[in-house]
Amino acid sequence: MFVRGLKRKCFDGEEDIEGTLAGIKAIPSYNLQRQSLLDMSLVKLQLCHMLVEPNLCRSVLIANTVRQIQEEMTQDGTWQMINTQSTGQASLDRLVSTDILCRSSRDQAEGKHVPAYGTFNKDFESDQAQDSSETMSTASSVQAPRNLQSNVWEMESPQENKGNFQKSLDQIFETLENKSPNSVEDLFSEVDNSYYDLDTMLTGMMSNTKMGHCDSLETFSSPTNTASNSNCKSDLNDLDHIVEILVES
Amino acid sequence: ADIISTVEFNYTGDLLATGDKGGRVVIFQREQETKSRPLSRGEYNVYSTFQSHEPEFDYLKSLEIEEKINKIRWLPQQNAAHFLLSTNDKTIKLWKISERDKRAEGYNLKDEDGRLREPFRVTELRVPTLKPMDLMVEASPRRTFANAHTYHINSISVNSDYATYLSADDLRINLWHLEVTNRSFNIVDIKPANMEELTEVITAAEFHPHHCNVFVYSSSKGTIRLCDMRSSALCDQHSKFFEEPEDPSSRSFFSEIISSISDVKFSHSGRYMMTRDYLSVKVWDLNMENRPVETYQVHEYLRSKLCSLYENDCIFDKFECCWNGSDSTIMTGSYNNFFRTFERNTRRDTTLEASRESSKPRAILKPRKVCTTGKRKKDEITVDSLDFNKKILHTAWHPTENIIAVAATNNLYLFQEKVN
């Protein structure tokens, strides 16, 4: 059960130490990792099973996680949507180790040890402290391009994005809820979509994220919402295009 | 063989029922001790197999309804037949399992093959006689309790009055009478008026073993509510609210997910209840709401791996837990086909593995250990080499003896305490 559309596995612990000691990439910032977690969560929410109703408990837990991240980002004032359509490399950098997220955010700020987690975690933290001082000294080569990229990615104002995002979250829940259509149009629209679901499934086109049932989520990646694009969502747009063709034919 | 999705001993422990993903129920019966085969005591052999649920299609929503059996609960035995409730996501069924070892012969109106005899051929009256036949175990559906759940059923629990039972889905709990299939009473409803405001779901529910008016239900936010059906018809107001305050120093983005309770079980005594969340098992005293009386770490070494486990969805795995007959030991499953037992008095915990390699018949299980530090000792397993596809979600303990049933994906293991 691996989440589709993610370029790289999220690694933890010792592997991360090796990665940073290699010196090629700096330890990803907390913001970057948080963004990565947010993207992962959004993709998970959109992954609807073809024929079986999605697990409500799982969806609720993921949605709550997303809300948490959103709230924190709003408080930080770092609420920005990241556009990675420009370079694949950009997205690769974003999907980095989010191990730091597994620890509390307070530890992040204070950089203190978390005694409960055993010795190998402690090693990681001391390595990290060491490494960040290293990267500070070799600053420009690593940090500068990263800053540049985030400037490029900054697209829309935080407020607008938040609105879009909230709307999308609401639509996700509407989808989960509106399995019992309460209007005739809903009834027929659902039936129609299921037909195409079966069709596309049989023709093996079901390669990626959502299909008919989650089509309220289409507005999540609608043309108006230019900022909320990631690699996963650009795939979604392709899929929309294909579905559109099917509908028209 | 299909993936086992539920395991349950009956009240005497002589029967063990398993449900699987394909909607089948397989019942095992314990062999009686006989002089000719003294070693066979304690062995469980297949007693009955039947298809409980079939896949269905909800045409209104254009969605499949899985035939996977989510839960099986036995009814206490009241006559020669055995009764159990089995449920999938939407429908609960009452099954009667009965034995037939005699056949009537010598009917007046029927031939031996069942065809009606011509009246003029009946020249004399005779009394049919009962002749022995090979034992046949028949399972027949007696009741079907359907159309009462919009969301997926996660729990059923038979009441101590042996006349009613509850069924719980993500947002509602219904009360049924075993004899009545066309009506059920809704006793808990946590569905918000606006589904966009939904932040919490029901994850498990159970009736108290002795007080027929008391039940508990757990939530995805790590809380347990105890309700008394005497207080009101709709038990949205709880009588007791159990929640452990969060440790602010260990808060992370995954805190809520790992606090979600996957199983709740009353002790046999009815004094305690046990809850299972992702990393631990907690024992609560029903008289103390603000924190559990005991907490056992099942696989704390996974705490640093939560991100990966979130990515591959393992963090959403729902582990069950169970008590032994005397409530002195609790058991729950983990990954890599490991399962853990915790002795409450001595605080001793054991990790065992359910796999073919380590389970030769009659061999004693060797305790396993997961290495959490950098230096791996011999026979220890490192966290990174754990197989997260081999998960033990369902375990059951015999009600009176130390016999345990462990479901490892599509295999069922039965272990017994060694008797010298």
Side-chain angles (χ1 to χ4, degrees):
Chain A
M1 263 184 291
F2 286 94
V3 177
R4 307 289 295 269
L6 288 182
K7 290 284 166 60
R8 197 160 79 184
K9 201 165 109 64
C10 168
F11 39 64
D12 319 73
E14 281 132 331
E15 294 157 280
D16 200 49
I17 296 172
E18 282 161 34
T20 52
L21 288 178
I24 298 165
K25 22 189 178 306
I27 292 171
S29 72
Y30 175 79
N31 286 349
L32 227 54
Q33 295 178 4
R34 185 175 57 185
Q35 184 64 46
S36 176
L37 183 65
L38 178 65
D39 291 332
M40 198 198 307
S41 306
L42 291 171
V43 168
K44 277 183 184 298
L45 279 176
Q46 291 178 11
L47 269 176
C48 292
H49 287 267
M50 267 286 295
L51 293 171
V52 183
E53 229 168 328
N55 186 335
L56 187 65
C57 181
R58 178 176 171 271
S59 305
V60 165
L61 288 172
I62 298 172
N64 288 351
T65 308
V66 166
R67 272 201 202 95
Q68 259 185 64
I69 298 175
Q70 180 204 359
E71 273 167 27
E72 200 184 275
M73 286 172 98
T74 314
Q75 279 170 13
D76 285 353
T78 55
W79 182 251
Q80 350 166 325
M81 292 305 268
I82 294 172
N83 185 353
T84 59
Q85 254 187 341
S86 42
T87 54
Q89 192 202 353
S91 67
L92 204 66
D93 285 342
R94 276 200 306 112
L95 296 171
V96 293
S97 165
T98 53
D99 173 55
I100 286 182
L101 292 167
C102 302
R103 295 181 275 143
S104 74
S105 39
R106 213 210 298 167
D107 291 341
Q108 292 305 309
E110 299 171 22
K112 68 176 201 256
H113 286 251
V114 182
Y117 297 149
T119 50
F120 82 90
N121 266 326
K122 255 179 144 182
D123 291 340
F124 171 65
E125 281 190 75
S126 55
D127 278 341
Q128 184 194 18
Q130 211 174 17
D131 269 310
S132 36
S133 57
E134 273 180 74
T135 55
M136 290 296 264
S137 55
T138 59
S140 52
S141 56
V142 178
Q143 299 287 12
R146 190 169 291 280
N147 287 333
L148 209 62
Q149 276 171 341
S150 18
N151 285 334
V152 167
W153 297 338
E154 234 177 300
M155 287 291 283
E156 286 189 21
S157 69
Q159 209 54 41
E160 207 178 299
N161 288 335
K162 195 159 62 160
N164 284 334
F165 172 76
Q166 186 57 42
K167 185 166 148 232
S168 323
L169 204 63
D170 294 347
Q171 277 155 356
I172 288 164
F173 276 117
E174 264 177 46
T175 318
L176 294 171
E177 138 92 320
N178 283 336
K179 288 307 165 190
S180 47
N182 42 25
S183 74
V184 174
E185 292 97 15
D186 283 350
L187 177 66
F188 281 117
S189 69
E190 293 227 20
V191 169
D192 278 341
N193 289 328
S194 73
Y195 170 77
Y196 290 113
D197 291 340
L198 280 169
D199 205 29
T200 48
M201 177 186 78
L202 291 170
T203 54
M205 285 190 64
M206 177 57 184
S207 59
N208 214 333
T209 53
K210 55 142 188 97
M211 290 297 281
H213 304 299
C214 313
D215 71 339
S216 335
L217 291 169
E218 276 179 12
T219 52
F220 185 52
S221 51
S222 71
T224 55
N225 194 4
T226 52
S228 61
N229 283 329
S230 66
N231 273 341
C232 316
K233 292 173 196 117
S234 59
D235 287 342
L236 270 177
N237 285 331
D238 293 337
L239 203 61
D240 293 345
H241 186 57
I242 291 162
V243 172
E244 267 177 43
I245 294 171
L246 283 174
V247 171
E248 278 157 24
S249 65
Chain B
D2 223 331
I3 296 173
I4 298 171
S5 49
T6 183
V7 184
E8 186 82 356
F9 279 100
N10 74 338
Y11 282 76
T12 59
D14 280 341
L15 295 175
L16 174 68
T18 62
D20 67 23
K21 202 158 153 266
R24 272 191 332 160
V25 171
V26 180
I27 301 177
F28 299 86
Q29 185 185 46
R30 191 171 184 194
E31 291 303 321
Q32 295 306 313
E33 188 173 346
T34 60
K35 284 203 180 65
S36 57
R37 300 180 61 212
L39 284 178
S40 72
R41 187 194 86 90
E43 270 181 25
Y44 283 78
N45 295 317
V46 177
Y47 178 65
S48 173
T49 304
F50 58 93
Q51 186 75 30
S52 171
H53 287 72
E54 298 276 358
E56 286 171 51
F57 196 78
D58 183 337
Y59 293 96
L60 207 61
K61 300 181 191 176
S62 303
L63 290 170
E64 238 183 42
I65 299 171
E66 279 189 309
E67 67 275 29
K68 174 168 75 90
I69 308 292
N70 292 337
K71 283 285 178 341
I72 289 175
R73 289 287 183 264
W74 290 92
L75 264 57
Q77 192 174 12
Q78 289 169 322
N79 52 35
H82 299 277
F83 288 86
L84 60 78
L85 287 169
S86 75
T87 185
N88 68 348
D89 284 338
K90 299 284 187 183
T91 306
I92 306 131
K93 291 189 185 177
L94 176 69
W95 286 88
K96 176 181 177 183
I97 298 105
S98 47
E99 291 182 8
R100 190 192 290 270
D101 62 354
K102 290 184 185 52
R103 190 181 65 235
E105 273 180 17
Y107 284 102
N108 290 295
L109 299 175
K110 286 194 296 190
D111 278 342
E112 292 312 319
D113 50 9
R115 279 184 307 179
L116 287 174
R117 292 168 79 187
E118 299 293 325
F120 61 86
R121 290 198 193 281
V122 182
T123 51
E124 57 172 11
L125 282 180
R126 54 188 180 173
V127 178
T129 52
L130 289 174
K131 296 267 162 52
M133 59 179 254
D134 289 337
L135 178 65
M136 203 168 71
V137 181
E138 300 171 321
S140 56
R142 305 304 284 180
R143 307 262 188 282
T144 301
F145 305 89
N147 301 322
H149 286 280
T150 310
Y151 303 97
H152 291 178
I153 298 174
N154 53 53
S155 314
I156 47 174
S157 177
V158 181
N159 205 349
S160 50
D161 62 9
Y162 302 153
T164 57
Y165 74 95
L166 64 76
S167 57
D169 66 28
D170 295 315
L171 298 178
R172 298 191 178 101
I173 302 180
N174 294 330
L175 179 71
W176 301 83
H177 192 284
L178 285 164
E179 300 291 329
V180 179
T181 58
N182 60 1
R183 195 165 37 183
S184 77
F185 291 101
N186 176 243
I187 51 178
V188 173
D189 189 338
I190 65 167
K191 184 177 176 208
N194 189 353
M195 272 299 269
E196 293 159 12
E197 292 162 8
L198 180 66
T199 56
E200 192 174 11
V201 300
I202 298 170
T203 52
E206 193 177 60
F207 265 120
H208 190 278
H210 308 311
H211 304 304
C212 58
N213 52 296
V214 173
F215 66 93
V216 293
Y217 68 93
S218 59
S219 81
S220 56
K221 285 197 173 171
T223 65
I224 310 104
R225 288 170 177 81
L226 184 143
C227 301
D228 187 333
M229 293 196 290
R230 296 172 303 188
S231 57
S232 67
L234 190 62
C235 297
D236 280 356
Q237 300 297 318
H238 53 261
S239 299
K240 293 196 185 193
F241 182 76
F242 299 83
E243 185 179 28
E244 186 172 21
E246 197 187 5
D247 176 14
S249 66
S250 65
R251 174 143 189 82
S252 74
F253 284 118
F254 305 109
S255 293
E256 185 183 313
I257 299 179
I258 62 168
S259 74
S260 174
I261 292 173
S262 51
D263 194 16
V264 64
K265 291 263 170 49
F266 278 105
S267 64
H268 291 92
S269 63
R271 166 118 189 257
Y272 299 97
M273 67 177 175
M274 166 167 58
T275 58
R276 174 72 156 98
D277 51 73
Y278 191 63
L279 296 180
S280 66
V281 186
K282 295 178 182 168
V283 176
W284 303 76
D285 185 323
L286 292 185
N287 297 316
M288 187 159 75
E289 299 169 52
N290 57 0
R291 60 179 172 81
V293 289
E294 294 153 35
T295 302
Y296 302 92
Q297 300 302 333
V298 181
H299 35 220
E300 180 69 12
Y301 46 79
L302 294 182
R303 194 180 285 270
S304 59
K305 306 281 182 194
L306 289 179
C307 187
S308 301
L309 295 165
Y310 180 69
E311 187 182 12
N312 64 14
D313 268 5
C314 280
I315 207 174
F316 302 107
D317 286 335
K318 293 195 187 314
F319 292 95
E320 291 172 12
C321 52
C322 60
W323 300 84
N324 72 337
S326 60
D327 298 335
S328 63
T329 311
I330 58 183
M331 173 168 67
T332 188
S334 177
Y335 294 103
N336 209 67
N337 279 347
F338 287 169
F339 59 98
R340 307 256 284 141
T341 60
F342 302 93
E343 275 173 50
R344 296 176 62 209
N345 307 328
T346 61
R347 290 289 180 150
R348 198 174 66 142
D349 64 281
T350 313
T351 306
L352 298 169
E353 183 177 357
S355 70
R356 282 187 205 279
E357 298 80 41
S358 58
S359 313
K360 304 282 179 287
R362 311 264 155 222
I364 298 190
L365 282 179
K366 202 175 59 168
R368 310 305 305 250
K369 191 147 160 53
V370 177
C371 152
T372 51
T373 63
K375 301 173 179 35
R376 188 182 87 91
K377 297 194 191 71
K378 180 174 174 284
D379 284 347
E380 280 188 358
I381 319 257
T382 59
V383 180
D384 291 322
S385 57
L386 292 174
D387 188 342
F388 289 94
N389 290 320
K390 293 186 183 164
K391 45 192 97 171
I392 292 183
L393 304 173
H394 313 287
T395 57
W397 205 306
H398 189 285
T400 51
E401 295 184 38
N402 283 341
I403 300 172
I404 56 177
V406 175
T409 318
N410 52 1
N411 293 314
L412 180 71
Y413 292 84
L414 276 150
F415 301 110
Q416 187 177 343
E417 188 182 31
K418 184 159 173 65
V419 179
N420 290 323

